[in-house]
Amino acid sequence: MDMATSPVHVIGAGPAGLAVAAALGRRGVRTVVVEKSSDVGASWRAHYDRLRLHTTRRWSSLPGLAIPRSAGRWVGRDDFVRYLETYARHHRLDLATGVEVFTVDRPQGGDDDWLLHATGGRRLRAGAVVVATGLHHTPMLPDWPGLADYTGELLHAGAYRSPEPFRGRDVLVVGTGNTGAEIAADLASGGAGRVRLAVRTAPHIVRRATLGWPTQASAILCRRLPVALTDRLARRCERLLVPDLTRHGLPRPGTGRYSRAREGAIPVLDAGLVRAVRHGLVQPVAAVEGFDGGKVVLANGDTIGPDVVIAATGYHSGLGPLVGHVGVLDGRGRPLVHGAETHPAAEGLYFIGYTNPVSGNLRELARDAPKIAAAIAERQTVGSARR
């Protein structure tokens, strides 16, 4: 590569950012990974203690280095963080930690470079920019009526670590995605006095594996089949493999699993929720409609008074302040383009890790990283030839 070319800057040292940086390094492209935290995998370090990947070790590894077999088939949080640390060292990635990028702009002069405004007044010039800050960036709370005046204890799921602080206490978990389901099961087995799970839309619940066959493998095989067909197949599998929890307050969804997945609703991989609900350790209740003083108002009109509310209500991408002014985000604040594609209004600006496919986010970003690296290398080669 032409060494006069400004280096590529990758924003975020999670798995997506590290994978792209490694792929760029293999192509000889100068790359700097900019990370606002003190080390790689910051968001993974902040996850709850019991977290295990929902994807197998084989399909969770990043390009150029496999997760060691000692981590097991379903890799735990700490093992995955250690893997990311090893990955960065193995590929000798150039990490600039403790540096937060606030905005990404085109510099004055109309050239092809980008300008990153960062901590301490830094102005970093980049030949291309890869944004890899992840979907789990900014905790999100719904705009519930009465929330501002709620006198009870409320925390976002991002602040949950273990059940110890909640022993003997009455806890309401809000949200039936994978995070809410796992936290509810964790609390139930960890000694919470009472655990209720607020359900707005009943989720599809699937087993992590059946007779050794991971559900992820089925999702990969079904990606190119018609959605209606995969919905029918999935419905039959669920009826055979997952108990009907309707009488316990958690009915089967009326819409198909893959139809819901296309809308962004990923199935819940059972990590103890089914057993906890069947044994009365987790009680599904109606969705939260609002708050009234120290009480929680549910959609069916009931009012309850838990000691703690844990909101597993998702995250914002947090991309607005960073690139919102460039015109590359949709109404949800997510990139209009993804992977090796760039927006016509922002050539040289790439995004990775902002999808949530049923086949596994880690698998898909591992496939996207080499494609992005190839696109950037080709772009720099063409730029060098023009000069």
Side-chain angles (χ1 to χ4, degrees), residues 131-147:
V131 182
T133 52
L135 282 172
H136 296 161
H137 185 275
T138 306
M140 177 179 64
L141 285 176
D143 187 18
W144 284 308
L147 178 60

Side-chain angles (χ1 to χ4, degrees), residues 48-52 77 161 182-183 185-187 189 271-272:
Y48 44 93
D49 295 347
R50 72 168 279 163
L51 176 75
R52 288 189 174 275
R77 180 198 64 185
R161 295 294 176 272
E182 287 197 24
I183 288 176
D186 196 30
L187 289 165
S189 63

Side-chain angles (χ1 to χ4, degrees), residues 14-228:
L18 298 180
V20 171
L24 285 165
R26 288 194 293 274
R27 289 181 172 272
V29 178
R30 290 190 300 148
T31 307
V32 178
V33 181
V34 184
E35 168 58 48
K36 69 177 181 179
S37 302
S38 60
D39 210 336
V40 302
S43 64
W44 290 88
R45 296 173 191 273
H47 282 308
Y48 44 93
D49 295 347
R50 72 168 279 163
L51 176 75
R52 288 189 174 275
L53 299 183
H54 294 154
T55 52
T56 65
R57 182 184 69 251
R58 172 189 174 190
W59 285 317
S60 300
S61 295
L62 304 180
L65 184 69
I67 299 175
R69 294 177 61 87
S70 60
R73 192 181 197 190
W74 310 102
V75 182
R77 180 198 64 185
D78 293 344
D79 283 327
F80 191 67
V81 168
R82 280 190 288 270
Y83 166 69
L84 295 179
E85 294 170 344
T86 302
Y87 190 87
R89 290 194 301 270
H90 176 79
H91 291 286
R92 300 181 180 181
L93 301 183
D94 187 355
L95 296 173
T97 57
V99 178
E100 182 176 3
V101 177
F102 301 113
T103 58
V104 177
D105 287 314
R106 287 287 194 194
Q108 292 182 352
D111 58 24
D112 290 335
D113 279 0
W114 289 89
L115 195 63
L116 282 61
H117 301 268
T119 306
R122 293 178 177 88
R123 292 161 63 86
L124 309 173
R125 200 175 184 92
V129 177
V130 182
V131 182
T133 52
L135 282 172
H136 296 161
H137 185 275
T138 306
M140 177 179 64
L141 285 176
D143 187 18
W144 284 308
L147 178 60
D149 299 319
Y150 180 55
T151 58
E153 183 179 347
L154 182 146
L155 67 150
H156 190 271
Y160 177 86
R161 295 294 176 272
S162 70
E164 279 72 21
F166 307 98
R167 289 184 180 276
R169 304 180 73 186
D170 184 341
V171 185
L172 172 67
V173 180
V174 184
T176 50
N178 277 289
T179 298
E182 287 197 24
I183 288 176
D186 196 30
L187 289 165
S189 63
R194 182 178 188 180
V195 181
R196 285 175 282 200
L197 180 62
V199 181
R200 183 169 298 280
T201 303
H204 286 276
I205 302 175
V206 299
R207 298 177 64 171
R208 188 173 283 172
T210 302
L211 299 176
W213 178 262
T215 296
Q216 183 187 8
S218 299
I220 292 170
L221 291 174
C222 290
R223 286 193 69 190
R224 300 191 183 280
L225 294 177
V227 173

Side-chain angles (χ1 to χ4, degrees), residues 223-243:
R223 286 193 69 190
R224 300 191 183 280
L225 294 177
V227 173
L229 174 60
T230 54
D231 280 345
R232 289 197 297 271
L233 293 173
R235 188 175 297 112
R236 292 177 182 178
C237 288
E238 286 181 30
R239 292 186 182 280
L240 285 172
L241 301 174
V242 180

